[in-house]
C-alpha cells in the first residue's frame, strides 16, 4: 500500500489539572503535518480526546501520534486501535524518546527526538521499499528484535522549517486556549536548554545546545496573524536565553507595530534572572508581554542546589519585584518533594508565594519523568512507584520520598494544602483589589478545580493514604507497560 494520507494525532490528557481548560496543542504534530503537506501528502492534525478520535473512525494510510508521559496511555490505546484496523502507526514525543521499547508494544515505528528529518525519510522508505536502516532516529521491530538507528543531529537551521499551518488542525470545534477571548497562537523562537535541571525532560528531546530562529523569520510568521484577533504564546523553554538576541527580536516587534496592525499581547516562559537586565524587561513590556511563566521551584536554598537550578533566593525575590514593577503578570511554578524539602520549607514556599503578590501559581509534586536525571535516580534507588503514566502530571506522588521528611501521603497533602491556601477566596479577591482581573478569573477557576480534583481523585487518595500508613515498600515495576 502506498502512503498518501497521513493523520497526526495528539490526544488530550483525561486528568483534571490547572491546564484542563487551556486548549493549546504542542507544535510538533502541526509542524510535521505542514512539512508532509508541502511534500505532497494529504495531512490533517487532530487535537482531541481519545474517545472522540476512535469514535470518529478517521481513516488514513499512516497514523502519526505524539505523546508526553501523561498522554501515553491514551496514545497507546489509539495506536492499538489503528493497528487492529491494519493501519501502520508511528509514534514520537518526549515519552517514547526516553522509552522506545515501550512504544514498540503498541506502534510499528517510533521516532526518537526531533521528527522533522526522520519522518519524511521513513515515509519515503515505506513507499519505495528501501531499507529502514537509512532512516535516522528510528526504532522498529525486525524478526522479533528491536532495532534502533543512530539519533539524527539536531536541526541547526531552524529557519529551514516552515511556519506551522494551523488550518490543518481539528480541535473538535474548540478554540486553542480557553481563558482568553482570542485564540492563542503557539510559536517557537528557539530549541534546547543548557541548564539540565534534574527533573526536566527538555534536554532529552531537544538537547543542551540553544538553537535560535532568525528574528526576520519570527517577524514574518507573526505577520500571518493580527493583534485584534490573536494572542501569542512563545513555547520556548527559556525565551530570554540569549538576551541580546531577545532584545533584537523585541525591538523588531515594536518597530513592526504598524505593520502588524497593533501590538500583540503575548506570554512566554523565562527564568527569573531576566530581572538582572532592566532594559530587557522594559522592552518586553513595550513589545506587548502580558504574562511570564517562571519556574521559581522553591525558596529553600538546599532544594535549589539539589535541583541544579542555578539561581538563589535573592534572585527570586529581586526578579519578582522587578517584573511586577512593569505590571507583567507572573505565573509562578513551585516544586515539592526534593530530599531537602520538609514540611516547614514547603509551607514557607507557600507563604512566600502569597506575600510576594504573584497573581497565579502552581505547586507541583516532583515527578520522575522518563528521560530525566531524577527518573534514573529513583529507578536506581528503588523508589519508583508505578507506570500509571496518566498520573505523571506533577499532581500525583510517583516516588517514595525520604521518610525522615515526608511520607507519600504527607507530600501529597503538602501540595493539596498549598493550592488551597494560595487560592483561598480571600486571597483571590485581594488580587482583584490590586487590579489583577486575571488573578481573579484564574483564582476562582483554580479554587473550584482544586475542590473538584479531590472528588475526582478520591480512589487514588484513599489508596495513597493506605499504603503510606502501611509504610509499603515498592519494588521497581517493569517499565514496559502491558
Amino acid at each position: 500500500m502506498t502512503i498518501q494520507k497521513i493523520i497526526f494525532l495528539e490526544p488530550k490528557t483525561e486528568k483534571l489539572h490547572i491546564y484542563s481548560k487551556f486548549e493549546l496543542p504542542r507544535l510538533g504534530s502541526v509542524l510535521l503535518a505542514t512539512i508532509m503537506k508541502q511534500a505532497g501528502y494529504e495531512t490533517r492534525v487532530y487535537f482531541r480526546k481519545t474517545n472522540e478520535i476512535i469514535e470518529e473512525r478517521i481513516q488514513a494510510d499512516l497514523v502519526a501520534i505524539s505523546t508526553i508521559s501523561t498522554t501515553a496511555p491514551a496514545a497507546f490505546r489509539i495506536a492499538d486501535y489503528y493497528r487492529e484496523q491494519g493501519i501502520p502507526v508511528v509514534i514520537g514525543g518526549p515519552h517514547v524518546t526516553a522509552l522506545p521499547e515501550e512504544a514498540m508494544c503498541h506502534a510499528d515505528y517510533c521516532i526518537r527526538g526531533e521528527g522533522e528529518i526522520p519522518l519524511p525519510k521513513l515515509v519515503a522508505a515505506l513507499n519505495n521499499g528501501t531499507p529502514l536502516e537509512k532512516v535516522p532516529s528510528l526504532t522498529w521491530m525486525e524478526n522479533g528484535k528491536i532495532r534502533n538507528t543512530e539519533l539524527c543531529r539536531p536541526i541547526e537551521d531552524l529557519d529551514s522549517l516552515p511556519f506551522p499551518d494551523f488550518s490543518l488542525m481539528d480541535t473538535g470545534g474548540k478554540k486553542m486556549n480557553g481563558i482568553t477571548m482570542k485564540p492563542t497562537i503557539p510559536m517557537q523562537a528557539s530549541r534546547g536548554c543548557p541548564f539540565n535541571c534534574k527533573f526536566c525532560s527538555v534536554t532529552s528531546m531537544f538537547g543542551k545546545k540553544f538553537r535560535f530562529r532568525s528574528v526576520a523569520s519570527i517577524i514574518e510568521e507573526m505577520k500571518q496573524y493580527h493583534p485584534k484577533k490573536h494572542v501569542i504564546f512563545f513555547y520556548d523553554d527559556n525565551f530570554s536565553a540569549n538576551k541580546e538576541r531577545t532584545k533584537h527580536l523585541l525591538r523588531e516587534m515594536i518597530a513592526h507595530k504598524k505593520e502588524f496592525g497593533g501590538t500583540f499581547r503575548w506570554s512566554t516562559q523565562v527564568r527569573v534572572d531576566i530581572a538582572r537586565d532592566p532594559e530587557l524587561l522594559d522592552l518586553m513590556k513595550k513589545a506587548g508581554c502580558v504574562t511570564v511563566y517562571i519556574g521559581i521551584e522553591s525558596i529553600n536554598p538546599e532544594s535549589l542546589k539539589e535541583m541544579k537550578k542555578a539561581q538563589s533566593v535573592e534572585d527570586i525575590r529581586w526578579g519578582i519585584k522587578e517584573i511586577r514593577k512593569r505590571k507583567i503578570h507572573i505565573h509562578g511554578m513551585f516544586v515539592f518533594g526534593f530530599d531537602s524539602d520538609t514540611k516547614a520549607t514547603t509551607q514557607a514556599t507557600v507563604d512566600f508565594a502569597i506575600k510576594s503578590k504573584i497573581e497565579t501559581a502552581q505547586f507541583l509534586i516532583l515527578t520522575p519523568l522518563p528521560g530525566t536525571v531524577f527518573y534514573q535516580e529513583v529507578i536506581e534507588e528503588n523508589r519508583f512507584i508505578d507506570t500509571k503514566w496518566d498520573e505523571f502530571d506533577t499532581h500525583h506522588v510517583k516516588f517514595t520520598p525520604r521518610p525522615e521528611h515526608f511520607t507519600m501521603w504527607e507530600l501529597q497533602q503538602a501540595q493539596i494544602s498549598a493550592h488551597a491556601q494560595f487560592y483561598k477566596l480571600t486571597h483571590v479577591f485581594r488580587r482583584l483589589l490590586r487590579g489583577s482581573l486575571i488573578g481573579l478569573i484564574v483564582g476562582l477557576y483554580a479554587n473550584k478545580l482544586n475542590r473538584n480534583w479531590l472528588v475526582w481523585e478520591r480512589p487514588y487518595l484513599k489508596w495513597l493514604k493506605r499504603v503510606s500508613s502501611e509504610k509499603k515498600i515498592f519494588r521497581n515495576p517493569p517499565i514496559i507497560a502491558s
Side-chain angles (χ1 to χ4, degrees), residues 67-69 71-77 79-80 83 91 95-96 98-107 146 370 375 379 384 386-392 476-482:
T67 183
I68 56 177
S69 292
T71 60
F76 295 155
R77 181 183 167 199
D80 291 342
R83 292 181 81 197
I91 194 166
H95 182 82
V96 296
L99 300 175
E101 297 86 358
E102 183 181 62
M104 296 318 300
C105 295
H106 305 275
I146 294 178
Y375 174 84
I379 291 290
F384 197 82
D386 60 36
T387 55
K388 294 180 180 177
W389 299 124
D390 59 341
E391 293 182 353
F392 279 62
N476 286 337
I479 301 305
I480 305 300
S482 60

Side-chain angles (χ1 to χ4, degrees), residues 257-272:
K257 177 180 176 180
K258 288 186 178 180
E259 194 172 351
F260 291 155
T263 300
F264 278 103
R265 291 168 59 85
W266 55 275
S267 57
T268 191
Q269 303 174 101
V270 296
R271 286 173 61 90
V272 76

Side-chain angles (χ1 to χ4, degrees), residues 182 219 222-230 252-265:
K182 305 172 188 174
I219 295 298
M222 293 178 72
K223 288 179 182 178
Q224 297 184 115
Y225 306 103
H226 196 285
K228 292 183 179 180
K229 298 179 180 178
H230 307 97
E252 288 298 300
M253 289 168 65
I254 295 167
H256 283 81
K257 177 180 176 180
K258 288 186 178 180
E259 194 172 351
F260 291 155
T263 300
F264 278 103
R265 291 168 59 85

Side-chain angles (χ1 to χ4, degrees), residues 187-204:
M187 291 187 185
Q188 191 174 47
S190 65
R191 289 184 182 181
C193 180
F195 291 103
N196 201 27
C197 297
K198 67 185 294 182
F199 55 86
C200 181
S201 60
V202 169
T203 54
S204 66

Side-chain angles (χ1 to χ4, degrees), residues 351-368:
D351 294 339
F352 170 84
I354 294 171
K355 291 176 182 177
S356 65
K357 298 180 180 179
I358 61 175
E359 290 86 352
T360 60
Q362 282 174 279
F363 298 91
L364 311 172
I365 295 173
L366 182 62
T367 302

Side-chain angles (χ1 to χ4, degrees), residues 59-71:
Q59 295 301 304
D61 302 321
L62 177 69
V63 174
I65 306 174
S66 175
T67 183
I68 56 177
S69 292
T70 53
T71 60

